[in-house]
Amino acid sequence: MRILGIESSSLVASTAIYEDGITMAEYTVDFKMTHSQTLLPMIDEMVKLVGIDLNTIDAIAVAAGPGSFTGLRIGSATAKGLGLALGKPLIHIPTVDALAYNLAGNRDIICPLMDARRNQTYTGLYRFDGNQMEIIKPQCAVGIDEIIAEVNKLGQAVVFLGDGVAVFETYIHENCTVPYTFAPAHVNKQRAGAVAALGEIYYTEGKTETAEEHKPDYLRLSQAERERLEGEQKK
């Protein structure tokens, strides 16, 4: 089974080709470039390097949110366009789940933290039995105080990862009462390899959708939508 993975939910742009337990190729860039500039050229270069035809993939796994509204739209449009052109199904991967899957096999509680602004985070809680992931708390948008309170209630060691770590590190130091660590740099951000690997599991479970059916999970209204509603409420 061959899966193309696409991840563009944050500043990180990442693509991967995963086949039967092996990441054949992964191309990840964490730099100030728009995903519309990077994703398709990255996919093109990657398939050329490994010498495969995109028509040979079985499905396209895409990080479907939450995350950057613009990034998600670009990733979604890329996946939908390829799905339609190649006649392949899409696999809808929750962004926070895929971020947690970077640490598959870890024995501690896994707590991804993505910066959602306004002192909120896109987060969830996970644990692993070997490589089998258990979702303790599904991905959600909550205040950092709320998720740290839940971590403390669990009373177990926890590993934090994601771009929210740098934003909330001081709060964690001051308020987290259980033993904690921060994931190292090579696994602390979104990676298409994890999206594709999780995609293989979802595919075997029949969790696919057509390109036409796919749409991102934003979890929150965009800033423009929030400001519009706030303006309407003041009238």
Side-chain angles (χ1 to χ4, degrees), residues 24-235:
M24 296 174 64
E26 185 175 32
Y27 194 154
T28 301
V29 177
D30 187 359
F31 193 66
K32 297 178 181 179
M33 296 177 67
T34 63
H35 297 323
S36 58
Q37 293 175 296
T38 55
L39 285 180
L40 285 174
M42 287 164 61
I43 292 170
D44 183 58
E45 185 171 346
M46 188 172 59
V47 298
K48 286 178 179 176
L49 283 170
V50 295
I52 68 166
D53 187 324
L54 273 179
N55 284 293
T56 64
I57 65 172
D58 294 291
I60 301 164
V62 56
S68 158
F69 285 77
T70 302
L72 290 174
R73 289 187 183 108
I74 295 170
S76 175
T78 301
K80 287 168 74 74
L82 288 171
L84 288 169
L86 300 171
K88 305 294 182 179
L90 270 57
I91 309 170
H92 188 111
I93 304 295
T95 301
V96 182
D97 292 14
L99 188 52
Y101 203 69
N102 281 355
L103 299 181
N106 196 296
R107 295 182 180 181
D108 294 339
I109 299 296
I110 310 300
C111 182
L113 296 173
M114 295 172 62
D115 182 18
R117 308 297 175 87
R118 297 190 173 192
N119 219 35
Q120 286 202 320
T121 177
Y122 298 124
T123 187
L125 294 172
Y126 307 80
R127 66 162 59 95
F128 286 93
D129 181 3
N131 289 334
Q132 183 68 37
M133 185 167 71
E134 176 190 349
I135 301 175
I136 303 170
K137 181 180 180 65
Q139 66 175 23
C140 55
V142 298
I144 185 61
D145 57 335
E146 183 176 331
I147 194 64
I148 295 301
E150 293 198 37
V151 165
N152 290 339
K153 286 179 182 178
L154 289 173
Q156 301 176 47
V158 61
V159 183
F160 295 104
L161 73 162
D163 61 17
V165 168
V167 178
F168 301 117
E169 186 172 358
T170 298
Y171 187 91
I172 292 169
H173 286 317
E174 294 176 350
N175 295 278
C176 190
T177 60
V178 298
Y180 62 87
T181 55
F182 299 121
H186 63 289
V187 288
N188 71 354
K189 299 286 181 64
Q190 288 90 333
R191 293 181 57 177
V195 171
L198 199 52
E200 181 184 48
I201 296 172
Y202 280 29
Y203 186 92
T204 58
E205 295 174 350
K207 298 178 181 177
T208 63
E209 59 189 2
T210 66
E212 292 91 342
E213 292 171 329
H214 177 76
K215 58 183 179 180
D217 295 326
Y218 297 117
L219 292 192
R220 293 196 322 177
L221 295 175
S222 69
Q223 182 176 345
E225 290 170 319
R226 291 196 303 268
E227 290 175 352
R228 178 178 59 79
L229 288 175
E230 289 170 0
E232 291 175 353
Q233 290 170 359
K234 291 177 181 179
K235 292 179 180 179

